[in-house]
Amino acid sequence: GQQLNQSPQSMFIQEGEDVSMNCTSSSIFNTWLWYKQDPGEGPVLLIALYKAGELTSNGRLTAQFGITRKDSFLNISASIPSDVGIYFCAGQKAGKTSGSRLTFGEGTQLTVNP
Amino acid sequence: NAGVMQNPRHLVRRRGQEARLRCSPMKGHSHVYWYRQLPEEGLKFMVYLQKENIIDESGMPKERFSAEFPKEGPSILRIQQVVRGDSAAYFCASATTGDYGEQYFGPGTRLTVT
């Protein structure tokens, strides 16, 4: 089935550092979404991107929708301990049936050392 | 302003029993998606439903699994004759539209089959 390649799988950083992670796909998506998941909880939506080339920020988070529509990246600036968690990218095609389901990457586990 | 609600949060079943997982979407959302997450993995799409209709069940195993979203009440994911391989976290997400766009997740049901 469809797969998104998300990297890196894990990151260990110091508090205050910037973080970057990305997702690539062999096929085109019309929407990219980034989620954060804490242990024992459901994914929480961070940023949604709808247009190729779009750059969107949410506080210290910035995400971009790649021009080719086959990739996206997420940056976190000035990391803090509460940024710890697993970050997932998700791609979505379009259309009322199979298009709206999300295809997820395998996640990036972020650890922030105080 | 309640989010997506799922219950139970934890469910333990013996092999061969039935598991029923419930999901109440956010207020105003009529589109529900179910995803499964195995340990250390990303989420995988199972089924997409609107009120009283299954729109896309391409991710659902052909046997033992069924889903419904009745006119009144929560969406139900039902697993008959559970096996150990069914142990996973099951998440539902809801959305205002089924074409594309943001999906909001519940806290999940952790199913353990003993």
Side-chain angles (χ1 to χ4, degrees):
Chain A
Q2 180 79 60
Q3 277 194 321
L4 294 184
N5 298 310
Q6 186 172 348
S7 64
Q9 281 189 319
S10 60
M11 301 184 74
F12 297 83
I13 62 170
Q14 293 297 125
E15 184 176 356
E17 290 183 352
D18 297 344
V19 170
S20 185
M21 57 192 80
N22 68 82
C23 260
T24 59
S25 171
S26 58
S27 63
I28 289 172
F29 287 101
N30 297 102
T31 304
W32 284 93
L33 303 120
W34 285 91
Y35 289 87
K36 178 176 183 266
Q37 185 178 28
D38 291 328
E41 299 296 330
V44 173
L45 181 64
L46 299 174
I47 292 180
L49 302 155
Y50 296 102
K51 294 181 183 178
E54 178 182 357
L55 186 71
T56 297
S57 293
N58 178 8
R60 293 179 295 105
L61 277 61
T62 302
Q64 185 157 28
F65 191 147
I67 289 290
T68 65
R69 294 200 281 162
K70 292 183 179 181
D71 62 331
S72 177
F73 73 75
L74 175 71
N75 283 345
I76 306 172
S77 63
S79 58
I80 59 178
S82 62
D83 291 334
V84 167
I86 304 177
Y87 291 79
F88 289 101
C89 62
Q92 188 181 54
K93 298 183 189 291
K96 289 189 182 296
T97 56
S98 61
S100 62
R101 65 173 180 248
L102 298 179
T103 299
F104 280 84
E106 293 300 307
T108 295
Q109 171 72 62
L110 178 64
T111 302
V112 179
N113 296 314
Chain B
N1 194 11
V4 178
M5 299 176 70
Q6 288 187 251
N7 65 83
R9 292 291 304 271
H10 299 275
L11 182 61
V12 179
R13 285 287 178 264
R14 291 184 179 151
R15 279 179 296 170
Q17 291 184 320
E18 178 179 289
R20 281 185 178 240
L21 288 61
R22 286 176 289 279
C23 168
S24 296
M26 286 178 70
K27 188 176 181 181
H29 289 194
S30 59
H31 301 263
V32 167
Y33 303 78
W34 285 92
Y35 295 84
R36 177 163 65 176
Q37 184 177 36
L38 295 172
E40 310 296 326
E41 293 188 10
L43 286 78
K44 300 287 193 296
F45 168 79
M46 298 181 73
V47 62
Y48 161 37
L49 311 100
Q50 290 182 44
K51 283 284 187 182
E52 300 184 275
N53 288 303
I54 296 174
I55 307 302
D56 177 7
E57 55 183 345
S58 59
M60 192 103 93
K62 293 283 188 284
E63 297 178 354
R64 302 187 297 108
F65 285 72
S66 62
E68 63 177 15
F69 190 14
K71 187 176 180 181
E72 301 291 337
S75 175
I76 306 285
L77 179 67
R78 182 181 175 205
I79 312 172
Q80 294 178 291
Q81 299 176 314
V82 296
V83 300
R84 289 222 170 107
D86 296 332
S87 295
Y90 293 83
F91 293 96
C92 89
S94 72
T96 55
T97 173
D99 290 338
Y100 66 95
E102 299 153 24
Q103 294 181 18
Y104 296 89
F105 283 81
T109 294
R110 271 103 190 132
L111 172 65
T112 302
V113 179
T114 61

